[in-house]
């Protein structure tokens, strides 16, 4: 059997972080088993579905590196097929026409509320013939859900979940206007796409029972179900925008690396021993359904930042340069070359690409002095810089170690600690008190630019 999974978002907004994790789990499971990962856009809500949302979903998946196989399936283009299946169920007696009016349904809901029970259609048209149908009323088509017994979902994450059939409704398959409902469309699409494994949020667990009844009525094989817990905020509350419930493109714009996001999303609800940093190749090799947790995962920006920082330090310098060069302000060819040469030291402290671009700006031009830098320079730092300039002018081989040797010798001669000279140099050259090794900075800046900045105090 070829494993085929799918990601089936509704294009009513951005690709949020929970959807991205669902897509990742489906992608990894398919890759692990040499199968296919398909994309279906469930755009049957025509009023809320938008092209920008469709674009955001596809762009978000591409940025994460979750490329799908084959063409995108659009659910709205398959309504004729959905209706065909509903009528097939009608023909074999597994469904029936319901002529209930909106007033009758409203009365049923009111009665259910009075009895403090969930609304359930009472099946009043289940065994009635069309001869009793009121004139001028367009019927819905409802599924004949079994009245006794149980529907058992053998979920690979949640375990064996039992649903008494008395609690299941006679689902509407086709509305009175002939359009299919979500429950029918999903089953038909998953069957026709050959989906073998459905991995989705556990908010769909109840839907699994209803959909399984449709599968069984049609005599179709039921896919394997895996319902993964939702993501909560670090405080345990339902994930909201303040926790990080943003679109994937927002994380891209905040400067996170896609491979770091994949790693972080993987660890939100799935584990492999104590491993935290997991490459994509390892994830494909290791991913399974058995190690998905049953409890909600907690989104934590601090952990994401730390993990992204690890990936930043391991990323090729030229790739990082390419990712941040458009974020640099007032770029010059010479300044960009300095950033490229200085990337090794710059990336050691940055947690994301935006931080990296900001921290690299001093290689373009000296930045306005921060308060701390001013304080150092005003409290004797300028005098130290003035004194060390002649010593620096003697350096012939303008590299890290020779520069450091000269500054160290100067500090010893003046009875100062190395840091007492290095910090004023940093403040003068960078405009701040934080940077890569100041001797590395001086090497990257070059002797003429370093001298120019030091002498301009």
């Amino acid at each position: 059997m070829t494993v085929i999974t799918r990601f089936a978002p509704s294009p009513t907004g951005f690709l949020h972080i929970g959807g991205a994790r669902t897509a990742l789990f489906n992608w990894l499971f398919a890759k692990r088993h040499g199968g296919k990962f398909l994309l279906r856009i469930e755009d049957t809500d025509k009023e809320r579905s938008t092209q920008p949302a469709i674009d955001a979903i596809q762009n978000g998946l591409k940025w994460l590196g979750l490329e799908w196989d084959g063409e995108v399936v659009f659910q709205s283009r398959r309504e004729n097929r959905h209706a065909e299946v509903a009528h097939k169920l009608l023909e074999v007696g597994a469904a029936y026409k319901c002529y209930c009016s909106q007033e009758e349904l409203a009365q049923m809901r009111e009665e259910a509320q009075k009895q403090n029970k969930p609304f359930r259609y009472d099946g009043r048209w289940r065994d009635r013939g069309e001869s009793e149908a009121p004139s001028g009323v367009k019927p819905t088509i409802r599924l004949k859900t079994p009245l006794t017994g149980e529907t058992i979902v053998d979920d690979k994450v949640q375990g064996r979940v039992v649903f008494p059939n008395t609690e299941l409704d006679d689902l509407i398959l086709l509305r009175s206007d002939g359009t299919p409902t979500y429950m029918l469309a999903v089953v038909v699409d998953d069957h026709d796409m050959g989906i073998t494994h459905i991995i989705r949020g556990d908010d769909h667990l109840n839907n699994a029972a209803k959909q399984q009844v449709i599968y069984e009525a049609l005599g179709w094989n039921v896919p394997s179900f895996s319902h993964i817990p939702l993501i909560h905020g670090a405080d345990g509350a339902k994930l909201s925008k303040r926790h990080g419930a943003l679109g994937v493109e927002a994380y891209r714009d905040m400067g996170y690396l896609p491979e770091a996001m994949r790693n972080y999303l993987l660890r939100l609800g799935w584990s492999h021993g104590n491993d935290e940093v997991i490459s994509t190749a390892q994830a494909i090799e290791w991913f399974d359904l058995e190690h998905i947790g049953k409890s909600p995962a907690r989104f934590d920006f601090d952990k994401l930042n730390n993990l992204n920082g690890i990936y930043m330090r391991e990323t090729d310098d030229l790739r990082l340069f390419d990712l941040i060069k458009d974020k640099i302000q007032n770029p010059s060819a010479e300044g960009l070359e300095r950033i490229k040469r200085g990337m090794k030291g710059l990336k050691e402290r940055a947690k994301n690409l935006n931080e990296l671009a900001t921290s690299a700006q001093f290689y373009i031009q000296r930045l306005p002095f921060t308060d701390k830098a001013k304080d150092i320079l005003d409290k004797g730092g300028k005098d130290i810089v003035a004194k060390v300039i002649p010593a620096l002018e003697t350096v012939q081989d303008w590299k890290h170690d020779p520069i450091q040797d000269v500054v160290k010798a100067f500090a010893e001669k003046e009875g100062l600690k190395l840091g007492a000279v290095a910090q004023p140099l940093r403040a003068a050259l960078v405009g701040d008190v934080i940077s890569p090794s100041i001797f590395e900075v001086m090497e990257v800046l070059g002797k003429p630019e370093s001298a120019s900045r030091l002498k301009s105090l």
Side-chain angles (χ1 to χ4, degrees):
M1 176 187 71
T2 299
V3 168
I4 304 177
T5 66
R6 50 78 160 173
F7 178 53
S10 298
T12 56
F14 49 65
L15 173 60
H16 61 79
I17 206 70
R21 184 191 63 167
T22 297
L24 174 66
F25 282 12
N26 278 279
W27 183 83
L28 285 173
F29 190 76
K31 291 292 182 184
R32 164 79 188 273
H33 294 281
K36 295 179 180 179
F37 168 66
L38 307 182
L39 175 61
R40 181 171 73 237
I41 302 295
E42 298 192 337
D43 56 344
T44 51
D45 187 343
K46 297 179 178 63
E47 290 185 3
R48 297 178 62 217
S49 298
T50 67
Q51 188 59 47
I54 293 172
D55 294 341
I57 289 167
Q58 296 190 55
N59 291 337
L61 290 174
K62 289 177 181 176
W63 177 72
L64 281 170
L66 307 182
E67 295 285 350
W68 55 91
D69 297 296
E71 298 294 322
V72 179
V73 174
F74 289 89
Q75 196 168 64
S76 63
R77 301 174 188 174
R78 293 177 43 79
E79 288 187 349
N80 289 340
R81 168 61 175 158
H82 303 147
E84 174 191 315
V85 172
H87 284 286
K88 176 183 176 183
L89 288 168
L90 193 63
E91 290 169 10
V92 300
Y96 61 95
K97 292 180 179 179
C98 172
Y99 291 89
C100 271
S101 65
Q102 291 301 316
E103 290 75 18
E104 288 176 296
L105 292 171
Q107 187 177 6
M108 287 183 217
R109 288 192 183 90
E110 189 177 325
E111 287 297 321
Q113 287 178 345
K114 286 181 181 178
Q115 298 177 34
N116 199 27
K117 293 181 179 179
F119 168 71
R120 182 174 180 272
Y121 171 68
D122 63 11
R124 63 183 61 182
W125 279 95
R126 185 179 177 109
D127 299 310
R128 294 168 70 177
E130 288 194 52
S131 60
E132 300 181 53
S135 61
V137 177
K138 292 184 178 180
T140 59
I141 294 181
R142 287 183 180 269
L143 180 71
K144 278 189 177 180
T145 300
L147 298 175
T148 59
E150 299 170 333
T151 295
I152 299 172
V153 176
D154 288 316
D155 194 276
K156 295 298 182 288
V157 174
Q158 304 296 330
R160 186 174 185 268
V161 187
V162 178
F163 297 86
N165 288 332
T166 54
E167 295 179 3
L168 301 180
D169 210 349
D170 281 358
L171 302 171
I172 294 177
L173 302 174
L174 280 190
R175 301 181 184 91
S176 59
D177 63 0
T179 59
T181 60
Y182 167 80
M183 291 297 174
L184 174 67
V186 167
V187 169
V188 175
D189 290 345
D190 283 338
H191 170 77
D192 288 358
M193 293 168 69
I195 303 303
T196 61
H197 292 76
I198 295 174
I199 305 169
R200 59 189 178 185
D202 63 8
D203 52 334
H204 285 281
L205 183 57
N206 287 338
N207 289 343
K210 299 170 185 177
Q211 290 162 6
Q212 184 164 311
V213 173
I214 299 175
Y215 275 106
E216 291 169 349
L218 288 162
W220 290 348
N221 290 331
V222 180
S224 167
F225 286 113
S226 299
H227 289 88
I228 57 181
L230 301 182
I231 301 173
H232 287 181
D235 57 2
K238 185 178 178 181
L239 194 65
S240 64
K241 286 186 177 180
R242 69 186 174 89
H243 295 116
L246 308 170
V248 166
E249 68 275 13
Y251 292 92
R252 177 199 62 204
D253 295 343
M254 285 189 283
Y256 293 103
L257 294 171
E259 56 268 39
M261 283 301 301
R262 286 198 302 271
N263 190 157
Y264 183 70
L265 290 174
L266 173 64
R267 292 290 289 110
L268 279 179
W270 181 86
S271 61
H272 186 272
N274 294 320
D275 293 296
E276 292 290 340
V277 180
I278 302 173
S279 70
T280 299
Q282 289 173 323
I284 291 171
E285 179 184 351
W286 295 342
F287 186 78
D288 57 15
L289 303 174
E290 290 74 21
H291 288 88
I292 297 175
K294 292 185 178 182
S295 301
R298 296 195 177 194
F299 190 93
D300 188 327
F301 262 115
D302 288 339
K303 289 185 178 180
L304 173 58
N305 287 330
N306 288 335
L307 186 62
N308 198 67
I310 292 171
Y311 274 88
M312 294 274 289
R313 292 189 287 277
E314 294 177 350
T315 299
D316 178 75
D317 292 353
L318 287 179
R319 181 186 169 212
L320 286 177
F321 172 76
D322 286 338
L323 289 171
I324 70 165
K325 63 184 179 183
D326 291 337
K327 300 175 184 285
I328 300 299
Q329 297 179 12
N330 306 314
S332 64
E334 186 178 12
L336 290 174
E337 280 300 314
R338 290 183 199 134
I339 291 173
K340 192 183 294 185
R341 293 198 304 272
M343 187 58 69
K344 182 178 180 181
L346 289 168
K347 70 182 184 182
E348 288 301 311
R349 291 176 175 82
K351 294 292 180 64
N352 58 62
L353 295 172
N354 292 348
E355 280 188 13
L356 181 61
T358 299
S359 69
Q361 194 66 40
F362 74 85
Y363 277 134
I364 303 295
Q365 75 278 329
R366 183 172 61 196
L367 302 176
F369 296 116
T370 65
D371 289 342
K372 289 183 178 179
K374 284 180 183 177
D375 190 54
I376 288 173
L377 293 172
D378 290 344
K379 293 181 178 178
K382 288 182 181 179
D383 293 337
I384 292 175
V385 170
K387 286 183 179 180
V388 79
I389 288 175
L392 289 170
E393 288 176 341
T394 67
V395 179
Q396 297 299 313
D397 185 17
W398 194 258
K399 297 287 179 62
H400 178 288
D401 289 351
I403 298 169
Q404 183 180 30
D405 290 343
V406 166
V407 173
K408 187 182 291 186
F410 170 83
E412 290 174 356
K413 178 182 175 183
E414 296 292 323
L416 299 171
K417 291 183 177 179
L418 181 60
V421 182
Q423 274 298 71
L425 285 172
R426 179 175 284 108
L429 292 167
V430 177
D432 202 350
V433 296
I434 298 173
S435 77
S437 162
I438 192 57
F439 309 113
E440 176 184 334
V441 169
M442 294 172 77
E443 177 183 339
V444 172
L445 283 174
K447 190 171 184 178
E449 178 67 17
S450 298
S452 174
R453 293 189 186 189
L454 293 176
K455 292 176 180 178
S456 67
L457 283 182

